[in-house]
Amino acid sequence: MAVVRTSYDLAVIGSGFGGTLLAMCAQRAGRSVVLLERAAHPRFAMGESSTPLANLLLEELAQRYGLPRVAALAKWGTWQREHPKVACGLKRGFTFLHHTLDKPFAADAERRDQLLVAASPRDDVADTHWYRADFDHLLVREAQAQGVDVLEQAKLTGVRFDDAQNTISGEQDGKKFFLRVGFVVDASGPGGFLHRALNLPTGTFRHLPQTQALYSHFTGVRRLDEMKIFPASEPPPYPVDDAAVHHVFDGGWIWVLRFNNGITSAGVAATDRVAKQFAFSDVAVAWERLLKKLPTVRAQFADAKPTMPFVYAPRLNFRSGIIHGGGWALLPSAAGFVDPLLSTGFPLTLMGVARLAQIIGEDLGTPRLAAGLDEYARQTAAELYTTEHLVAALYANMRDFEVFAALSLLYFAAASFSETVRRLGQPERARSFLLADDPKFGPRLHACCARALRPMKEPERAALLRDIAQTLEPLNVTGLARSERRNWYPASAEDLLAAAPKLGVERAAIEALLLRCGFAAA
């Protein structure tokens, strides 16, 4: 679309899912919106695996702003029924398998080398992997249908903020354009347009090691269940491949995400030490070099073929030193990036979209704007720090899978508690991602992560494991850390019903929640 007007209430830079959702929400709130994109859809994008909390946030946004076609994307079943031509993947849970280099996956009888956490009880209400070329394109078309002006292949050449008038200049199809805007949100990713144009300072994370990544899309990736890596005596709580699969090894991990169009997204994120060991800069050669050291993963990719050139990211994590200023703000996805581990980017971004949409809808042009943006920046920074601290602790313990798994349960406890209280109509009990603002859980989470980052002798390690279990227990509404389950955690209605006292509600409230969410098949 060419430029159709020269003045807007809001300009959003970047038409990934976060920027496009924000543009739609602001438009539905009565603001005039232009969405600026340097490329053209459909186009490749990473960040593909959703979570129960992310899907709930997407559903909440769609309901609040009257976007029923977007709401259908919050569950596998409604997605397949209403958008069958938009590719996605079935995500029933999180699969973690621990590997030792040069050895096949052991499938320990006591499951000490695995962690399976179900995210849903059945396919129809399951989460999804978003095939971003299709998903982002669909959202852009929806935004246009809602009245958002979309300028693709728009090269931005300048931006200026002052009290009298904010302006953006650029070129499209060889023609210059000049826009007057009330407010600008940058959704163009880490180190994006505003970060460069305003020469914003780059911050540093306190604990996270420097990491690199190597990734592509593939065909022909084998399913682990077909490889029969687990004994047949007891079925896993969900099909292990219909999940976000994490192959964890000392210093790094490989993700495998399957879509329903025959494509599988896969890649590795690892510390600089590991990236140097395998020479990630050699891209495809480095990938083969790594797989040779992981026999089970090598067998999974024995017949796989990349459908696109490998992408090498020499630096993964990023944090902007400033998140908002006069007339502008960064979406969380532009303010910072930690790591793809645990799929934290989706809920972080969607929480930011919800906050900014409310601020823009209610406070733009009022004296309340500055205070709202200050609080938005504080929340975003706190959540990025909490995410970074946990992910750093996980990286530090990839060799020790018992500690790694225990730390991971802190994430799952916080996420499942947040999802449950929001579905109970109590969002004030989960205002922040990973409950970063919770006066009890937040400090205890950080304390556990700080200890996990230090070298530990056996007494300190045992004490940490006990304290992690005690930290998650008040929020544990899904039966996590139960020893008899030996690291396999199903999605159980009985667990939620038993947790009614922790949630401060009667059992009937949980029964109604389960019915509303379609937990049991009709």
Side-chain angles (χ1 to χ4, degrees), residues 31-114:
R31 304 299 186 182
S32 58
V33 185
V34 62
L35 184 60
L36 302 165
E37 170 60 47
R38 66 179 179 180
H41 288 276
R43 46 87 168 125
F44 172 81
M46 286 299 292
E48 297 160 322
S49 192
S50 187
T51 67
L53 179 58
N55 279 356
L56 175 57
L57 293 167
L58 181 66
E59 188 175 66
E60 289 177 354
L61 283 168
Q63 291 173 349
R64 184 178 304 137
Y65 293 98
L67 302 167
R69 282 176 56 80
V70 173
L73 300 168
K75 297 181 180 69
W76 166 266
T78 52
W79 184 320
Q80 297 310 298
R81 289 189 287 274
E82 299 193 27
H83 303 287
K85 295 183 180 180
V86 179
C88 70
L90 175 61
K91 183 178 180 181
R92 287 285 307 278
F94 288 76
T95 299
F96 298 85
L97 305 177
H98 189 245
H99 299 260
T100 300
L101 296 185
D102 295 315
K103 295 182 179 179
F105 173 66
D108 178 75
E110 294 302 313
R111 304 175 189 158
R112 288 169 292 198
D113 57 359
Q114 55 205 260

Side-chain angles (χ1 to χ4, degrees), residues 214 274-283 285-287 289 312:
L214 187 64
V274 172
K276 182 178 180 180
Q277 175 185 352
F278 291 98
F280 277 15
S281 57
D282 290 343
V283 289
V285 175
W287 176 255
R289 193 179 291 135
Y312 169 50

Side-chain angles (χ1 to χ4, degrees), residues 215-221 263-264 266 284 287-288 301 303-311:
Y215 52 86
S216 186
H217 281 174
F218 299 83
T219 58
V221 179
I263 298 294
T264 297
W287 176 255
E288 294 300 324
F301 282 81
D303 299 320
K305 303 293 182 185
T307 64
M308 53 175 276
F310 276 85
V311 177

